[in-house]
């Protein structure tokens, strides 16, 4: 244990910093899944999309030297994954939850296959903004060194919250998600809307992956995601399909994920692996607390198969 | 699809009436076989394109896959050994599927089953009789695995929690618990680089089937599949489960105990996955360690879907996928392809098989009720 200079205050500071660092992928995946689920479709394959996005971003950043191009390439790859998922789910008799699981396995397989040769090279990292410059304490400086994607994610959450309520596209999405028949009566093609919503959701999830490989932890390997893509699906339920709720829930999850490492940094090593399970336990408790066997969840899109 | 091209419906109608029931029987059963095989062929074709795209020869790859999986008695035995846990983890998906539940957290039950088996065996090994120890290990693993997946079923029915997500979360929690046990309470101080529990004495290991280099796990797995098939097809519980899987409301109106059925079927499913963990410890690893999370739970999902959740169909499918798994190393060495090649193949097959679900009921040839009308 190194001398921190700020003593026990290092723990809440580390959790705060960790919450911001760890939450960013959750923000993007859950916002993407919110768009998809608002259209009445569920994509459980986002875990695969996330990992494939992480690999694509890293590989492109290594080859071109530009992390921004890496993020854009990841978005394109994520959109392709979303289009495949959306196109197959359009067919009759196809179970969208099962397709999600299959896409997850496919995405992981492809990412591990194509990413094998990128485990060694080092990619340039995404830039971050040093908001802690005013402080002379290195811990605070480090904690406030916040990646640009975090701010983009926060802005996106606010924008989506506004857009769902106040734009034509937001209205179309909500109508399609609540009733396929009502949407048809309005002259909207529900399948087309869902296809696009799944593609957008996939490209956002891939940004979450790009953040993992290009910023934190900032390297590409096969264990880069441990279920973030799937936990984001649970997070969307917890956030009641509300983008701002997603942002806050992501921060909460990030804090839970940072608990173990923060305690370890001050010398608490007992039960390290149990702390590692904290985000999953938290997700499960939240799911249990917010679900109900008798009524559908408040705010749930009516055409969504998940909550039935 | 060319299945419709040589539609024999017209010929069938003119055959003597006595043949017709036989043909109807064949037609109804042919649908999953034909569509399933077509799906596998399409999946292999897409995978071949991928292999071509990365500049390798699909022909060489499939040949190596055959050699590595089934080309010699040695490789057949290897494939059968790898099929053993898949039989059990596939049941963990297939049984709840009869009730309309999609459980994907079998991996968690496998690792906890393995830890429970090791925790049960270590104080007994050396003192208690071998057979009794193995039985107790199996019971411990089944109870823990059953509780773990049963919890997902329980939460589904009584709390309305989506079982797909909860079972996966439980699986991550289980892996964290295993790491905690193996690194902490149960750690063998002698295991330095790879934390493990103390090893089982050799005489307490689950041995091989006489005359073969395949452990008894294969027999246990096949028995579990047969028992599951009997439970589903021939008992009133299985019948009730199929009704509840078709329509929960109808089942509740009929007075069927849907909650108990869900809890019971998920617990049985989990106990099979737990048993797979016990077999890994008692027949392969010799101790509980991180190798328990080898992905059998996830491959089991694919096996169950390929077998259309039919426990008897799981047996050949698990052996086939065990063979593909077994050939992974050979492909890696001979062709210089990453070990994830097998994962890509599995993912591709999985997607195409689900995609082909859309063709069920679309071909008249498989539906004798429509034969007359087609004339």
């Amino acid at each position: 244990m190194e001398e921190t200079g700020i003593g026990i205050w290092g723990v809440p500071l580390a959790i705060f910093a960790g919450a911001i660092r760890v939450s960013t992928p959750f923000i993007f995946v859950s916002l993407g899944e919110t768009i998809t689920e608002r259209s009445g479709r569920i994509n459980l394959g986002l875990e695969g999309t996330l990992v494939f996005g992480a690999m694509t971003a890293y590989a492109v950043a290594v080859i071109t030297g530009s992390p921004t191009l890496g993020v854009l390439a990841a978005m394109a790859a994520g959109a392709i994954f979303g289009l495949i998922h959306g196109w197959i789910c359009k067919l009759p008799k196809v179970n969208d939850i099962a397709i999600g699981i299959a896409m997850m396995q496919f995405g992981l397989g492809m990412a591990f296959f194509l990413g094998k040769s990128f485990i060694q090279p080092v990619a340039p990292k995404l830039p971050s903004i040093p908001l802690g410059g005013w402080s002379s304490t290195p811990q605070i400086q480090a904690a406030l060194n916040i990646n640009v994607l975090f701010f983009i994610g926060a802005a996106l959450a606010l924008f989506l919250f506004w857009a769902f309520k106040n734009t034509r596209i937001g209205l179309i999405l909500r109508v399609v998600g609540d009733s396929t028949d009502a949407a048809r009566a309005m002259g909207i093609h529900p399948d087309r809307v869902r296809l696009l919503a799944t593609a957008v959701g996939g490209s956002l999830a891939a940004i979450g992956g790009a953040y993992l490989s290009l910023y934190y932890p900032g390297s590409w390997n096969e264990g880069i995601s441990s279920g973030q893509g799937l936990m984001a699906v649970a997070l969307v339920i917890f956030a009641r399909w509300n983008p701002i709720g997603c942002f806050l829930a992501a921060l909460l999850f990030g804090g839970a994920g940072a608990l173990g490492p923060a305690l370890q940094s001050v010398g608490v090593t007992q039960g390290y692996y149990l702390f590692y399970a904290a985000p999953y336990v938290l997700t499960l408790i939240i799911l249990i607390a917010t679900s109900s066997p008798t009524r559908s969840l408040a705010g749930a899109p009516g055409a969504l198969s998940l909550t039935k | 699809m060319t299945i419709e091209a040589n539609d024999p419906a017209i010929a069938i109608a003119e055959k003597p009436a006595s043949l017709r029931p036989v043909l109807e029987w064949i037609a109804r059963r042919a649908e999953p076989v034909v569509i399933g095989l077509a799906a596998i062929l399409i999946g292999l074709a897409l995978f071949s394109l991928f292999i071509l795209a990365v500049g390798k020869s699909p022909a060489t790859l499939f040949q190596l896959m055959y050699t590595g999986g089934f080309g010699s008695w040695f490789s057949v035995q290897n494939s059968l050994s790898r099929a053993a846990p898949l039989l059990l983890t596939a049941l963990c998906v297939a049984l709840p599927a009869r009730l309309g539940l999609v459980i994907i957290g079998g991996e968690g039950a496998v690792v906890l089953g393995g830890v429970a088996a090791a925790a049960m065996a270590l104080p007994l090994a050396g003192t208690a009789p071998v057979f009794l120890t193995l039985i107790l290990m199996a019971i411990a693993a089944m109870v823990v695995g059953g509780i773990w997946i049963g919890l997902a079923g329980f939460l589904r029915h009584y709390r309305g929690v989506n079982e797909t997500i909860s079972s996966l979360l439980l699986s991550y929690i289980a892996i964290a618990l295993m790491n905690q046990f193996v690194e902490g309470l149960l750690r063998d101080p002698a295991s330095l680089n790879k934390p493990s529990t103390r090893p089982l004495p050799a005489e307490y290991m689950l041995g091989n089937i006489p005359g073969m280099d395949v452990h008894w796990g294969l027999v246990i797995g096949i028995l579990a599949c047969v028992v599951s098939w009997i439970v589903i097809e021939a008992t009133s519980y299985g019948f009730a489960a199929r009704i509840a899987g078709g329509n929960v409301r109808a089942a509740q109106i009929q007075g069927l105990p849907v909650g108990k059925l869900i809890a019971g079927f998920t617990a049985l499913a989990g106990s099979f996955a737990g048993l797979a963990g016990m077999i890994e410890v008692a027949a392969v690893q010799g101790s509980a360690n991180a190798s328990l999370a080898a992905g059998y739970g996830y491959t089991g999902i694919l096996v169950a879907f390929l077998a259309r959740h039919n426990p008897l169909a799981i047996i050949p499918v698990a052996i086939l996928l065990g063979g593909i798994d077994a050939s992974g190393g050979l492909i890696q060495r001979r062709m210089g392809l990453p070990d994830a090649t097998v994962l890509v193949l599995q993912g591709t097959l999985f997607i195409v098989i689900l995609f082909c679900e859309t063709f069920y009921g679309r071909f008249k040839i498989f539906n004798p009720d429509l034969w007359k009308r087609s004339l």
Side-chain angles (χ1 to χ4, degrees):
Chain A
M1 182 187 158
E2 67 185 287
E3 192 55 52
T4 62
I6 49 174
I8 200 72
W9 285 105
V11 175
L13 186 69
I15 292 176
F16 169 77
I20 288 178
R21 247 196 332 262
V22 180
S23 66
T24 308
F26 284 118
I27 295 173
F28 280 97
V29 187
S30 63
L31 289 178
E33 183 72 10
T34 301
I35 295 174
T36 309
E37 289 192 18
R38 279 277 179 122
S39 80
R41 175 164 293 140
I42 176 162
N43 185 358
L44 282 188
L46 289 186
E47 174 79 6
T49 312
L50 179 96
V51 173
F52 194 80
M55 188 284 296
T56 310
Y58 200 79
V60 170
V62 167
I63 292 167
T64 64
S66 159
T68 317
L69 279 181
V71 174
L72 291 176
M75 285 179 74
I80 292 171
F81 268 72
L83 285 174
I84 297 173
H85 180 93
W87 179 68
I88 297 177
C89 288
K90 275 199 328 190
L91 301 166
K93 291 191 191 174
V94 172
N95 177 337
D96 50 0
I97 291 196
I99 285 286
I101 299 166
M103 287 297 290
M104 185 188 339
Q105 288 199 343
F106 178 72
L108 294 174
M110 287 296 267
F112 297 168
F113 185 100
L114 298 173
K116 195 78 189 172
S117 50
F118 291 98
I119 292 179
Q120 288 301 328
V122 178
K125 292 212 175 185
L126 282 166
S128 53
I129 298 170
L131 286 182
W134 49 270
S135 167
S136 56
T137 317
Q139 282 81 13
I140 292 175
Q141 280 179 0
L144 288 176
N145 200 19
I146 295 168
N147 187 268
V148 280
L149 282 180
F150 178 79
F151 295 109
I152 295 175
L156 188 65
L158 285 171
F159 170 74
L160 286 178
F161 180 77
W162 172 82
F164 278 136
K165 281 198 172 155
N166 299 307
T167 65
R168 189 179 156 75
I169 294 174
L171 177 71
I172 290 176
L173 211 59
R174 282 188 293 145
V175 170
V176 171
D178 270 331
S179 165
T180 311
D181 293 335
R184 282 217 184 85
M186 285 171 66
I188 304 168
H189 297 279
D191 284 340
R192 211 175 289 166
V193 174
R194 286 182 188 145
L195 185 68
L196 291 175
T198 317
V200 173
S203 71
L204 288 183
I207 298 180
Y211 175 89
L212 287 177
S213 62
L214 292 180
Y215 187 71
Y216 182 79
S219 64
W220 159 251
N221 62 67
E222 298 187 353
I224 191 154
S225 164
S226 38
Q228 270 112 325
L230 267 144
M231 283 156 72
V233 177
L235 193 148
V236 171
I237 303 173
F238 171 50
R240 292 283 189 271
W241 296 271
N242 175 345
I244 293 182
C246 285
F247 175 73
L248 297 175
L251 277 178
L252 181 69
F253 276 43
L259 193 63
L263 286 174
Q264 203 190 24
S265 71
V266 293
V268 181
T269 51
Q270 271 301 319
Y272 174 70
Y273 290 93
L274 296 183
F275 283 114
Y276 185 74
Y280 310 106
V281 175
L282 180 73
T283 314
L284 192 61
I285 290 173
I286 284 169
L287 267 181
I288 295 170
T290 55
S291 301
S292 161
T294 48
R295 58 194 159 75
S296 70
L297 299 170
L304 194 65
S305 59
L306 176 77
T307 45
K308 276 181 192 151
Chain B
M1 292 246 117
T2 53
I3 298 168
E4 239 172 351
N6 47 1
D7 187 342
I10 299 158
I12 288 159
E14 286 160 5
K15 290 258 167 73
S18 61
L19 251 178
R20 184 158 169 139
V22 181
L23 289 171
E24 284 188 1
W25 188 90
I26 293 171
R28 287 189 201 282
R29 275 157 188 76
E31 184 173 30
V33 176
V34 172
I35 293 182
L37 286 178
I40 290 176
L41 288 178
I42 298 171
L44 291 178
L46 287 176
F47 179 68
S48 305
L49 289 179
F50 172 73
I51 292 300
L52 277 177
V54 297
K56 305 276 177 174
S57 152
T60 319
L61 187 128
F62 290 131
Q63 204 189 339
L64 284 176
M65 207 171 261
Y66 173 75
T67 314
F70 304 99
S72 66
W73 180 228
F74 172 81
S75 52
V76 167
Q77 293 184 105
N78 193 3
S79 301
L80 289 174
S81 297
R82 283 170 192 260
L86 295 180
L87 293 164
L88 293 162
T89 53
L91 285 176
C92 185
V93 181
L95 287 174
R98 285 304 166 111
L99 282 149
L101 304 183
V102 185
I103 297 273
I104 60 173
E107 187 91 351
V110 173
V111 300
L112 282 189
V115 170
M120 178 61 95
L122 293 173
L124 293 173
T127 52
V130 173
F131 189 70
L132 181 74
T133 308
L134 285 170
I135 293 281
L136 288 174
M137 284 170 75
I139 291 173
M142 290 179 80
V143 167
V144 171
I147 290 173
W148 211 244
I149 301 297
L151 192 58
F154 176 87
L155 289 173
R156 162 65 189 234
H157 186 72
Y158 294 100
R159 288 295 316 166
V161 177
N162 180 278
E163 76 286 354
T164 311
I165 297 173
S166 71
S167 67
L168 198 91
L169 291 171
L170 282 168
S171 161
Y172 284 114
I173 296 169
I175 292 170
L177 280 175
M178 172 201 61
N179 283 326
Q180 187 64 40
F181 278 124
V182 170
E183 296 266 3
L185 205 60
L186 296 175
R187 178 168 183 166
D188 174 10
S191 62
L192 296 173
N193 292 325
K194 188 180 177 188
S196 298
T197 59
R198 275 186 291 126
L200 270 177
E203 65 271 24
Y204 281 80
M205 294 281 284
L206 196 62
N208 283 344
I209 302 167
M212 289 173 87
D213 198 16
V214 181
H215 57 75
W216 280 103
L218 180 72
V219 175
I220 297 172
I222 290 175
L223 274 179
C225 286
V226 172
V227 168
S228 301
W229 185 79
I230 293 171
V231 167
I232 288 173
E233 299 293 333
T235 69
S236 54
Y237 300 108
F239 183 63
R242 276 182 286 157
I243 293 174
N247 186 333
V248 176
R249 295 275 147 70
Q252 278 166 335
I253 290 165
Q254 290 295 312
L256 292 174
V258 176
K260 282 180 189 150
L261 281 171
I262 288 179
F265 265 71
T266 47
L268 183 64
S271 68
F272 284 141
L275 191 57
M278 176 266 179
I279 289 170
E280 274 295 292
V281 167
V284 183
Q285 305 283 346
S287 67
N289 56 56
S291 304
L292 283 171
Y296 286 123
Y298 298 110
T299 312
I301 303 169
L302 174 59
V303 173
F305 273 91
L306 259 169
R308 292 184 64 74
H309 309 307
N310 177 337
L312 286 188
I314 282 175
I315 299 171
V317 175
I319 292 172
L320 182 70
L321 279 177
I324 293 177
D325 253 359
S327 63
L330 193 66
I331 291 167
Q332 207 181 334
R333 284 195 304 277
R334 293 273 184 85
M335 296 183 75
L337 285 167
D339 48 358
T341 311
V342 169
L343 267 179
V344 175
L345 173 61
Q346 289 184 352
T348 313
L349 282 177
F350 200 170
I351 293 174
V352 176
I353 283 153
L354 293 171
F355 168 81
C356 287
E357 292 270 312
T358 193
F359 295 119
Y360 279 86
R362 284 229 196 143
F363 302 109
K364 276 184 199 143
I365 181 173
F366 298 127
N367 189 345
D369 300 337
L370 294 176
W371 285 359
K372 244 182 214 155
R373 264 173 271 164
S374 72
L375 272 178

